Amino acid sequence: MAHQRISDPAQVDRFWFGYHPRALAPTIVAVAIVSIVTWTGRWYLDHLSELANRLGALALFAVAWGPWPVLVTVFLYRTVTYSYRLTDRALVIDFGFWHRPIPPILLADVTSVRNGTTLIGSALSVGWIEVQTIGGNIRLVGVYRPHEIAERIRTAVTTSRAKAGTDETSSPGK
């Protein structure tokens, strides 16, 4: 009787990562500048002072404070729900309940892995990773040290392919 190999369906975790809080830093700075100009502009910007007199101070208050609840919501949503999980066989991506589920990307299907940053992102060590597969592309945003993590993914793809080649040659019946 041939001894058949029983494989464990569980995947071995290699690395977990997610949306890094630094990724929203440029947006936070921009909103803070707009808010400060709006709050203090009545004293040195005549047009803003006239607008406040016409519409009321509450309108300027709304302009200054309105973006903050939205920004806090986006910040919390992305930092809590965006998760990227690299296993021995797949890359599992979750963008949270506001996005459609993404099926796991098998490492065997990955054709290339690219990464990059913006000018400000490189100063903050935050960027993106684009995983290209047979079925399409997916971009992982807000990744801390994207070049290092992209290299981990490339290594996992190479290791997965090497292991798959070894399994095929050692399986019974071949």
Side-chain angles (χ1 to χ4, degrees):
M1 180 171 137
H3 189 12
Q4 289 198 343
R5 188 174 140 188
I6 300 172
S7 62
D8 182 8
Q11 297 184 40
V12 178
D13 285 335
R14 298 291 182 214
F15 190 65
W16 283 77
F17 58 107
Y19 192 88
H20 199 275
R22 288 185 186 185
L24 272 181
T27 305
I28 292 170
V29 169
V31 170
I33 290 170
V34 169
S35 293
I36 289 171
V37 167
T38 305
W39 291 327
T40 61
R42 294 181 68 182
W43 296 304
Y44 56 86
L45 296 173
D46 293 333
H47 296 296
L48 196 57
S49 183
E50 290 173 18
L51 180 66
N53 289 337
R54 244 183 299 146
L55 296 177
L58 191 56
L60 287 181
F61 178 82
V63 170
W65 281 98
W68 288 103
V70 174
L71 188 61
V72 167
T73 302
V74 169
F75 178 82
L76 290 174
Y77 178 79
R78 288 183 179 179
T79 56
V80 171
T81 62
Y82 281 28
S83 67
Y84 315 125
R85 176 179 161 221
L86 180 62
T87 70
D88 60 338
R89 289 182 275 181
L91 179 62
V92 182
I93 301 166
D94 184 13
F95 289 123
F97 56 88
W98 282 342
H99 298 276
R100 298 183 111 192
I102 298 170
I105 298 171
L106 297 177
L107 295 178
D109 294 342
V110 174
T111 56
S112 71
V113 178
R114 298 182 327 127
N115 62 282
T117 62
T118 61
L119 184 61
I120 295 172
S122 65
L124 297 172
S125 298
V126 178
W128 52 265
I129 298 173
E130 187 173 85
V131 179
Q132 299 174 344
T133 66
I134 297 167
N137 301 341
I138 185 91
R139 185 172 278 209
L140 313 177
V141 295
V143 178
Y144 183 64
R145 296 187 176 160
H147 56 282
E148 293 175 13
I149 296 176
E151 192 56 41
R152 281 183 182 229
I153 295 171
R154 288 184 199 104
T155 303
V157 167
T158 305
T159 304
S160 174
R161 287 183 181 154
K163 184 178 176 186
T166 305
D167 289 347
E168 286 176 8
T169 58
S170 65
S171 63
K174 295 256 175 183

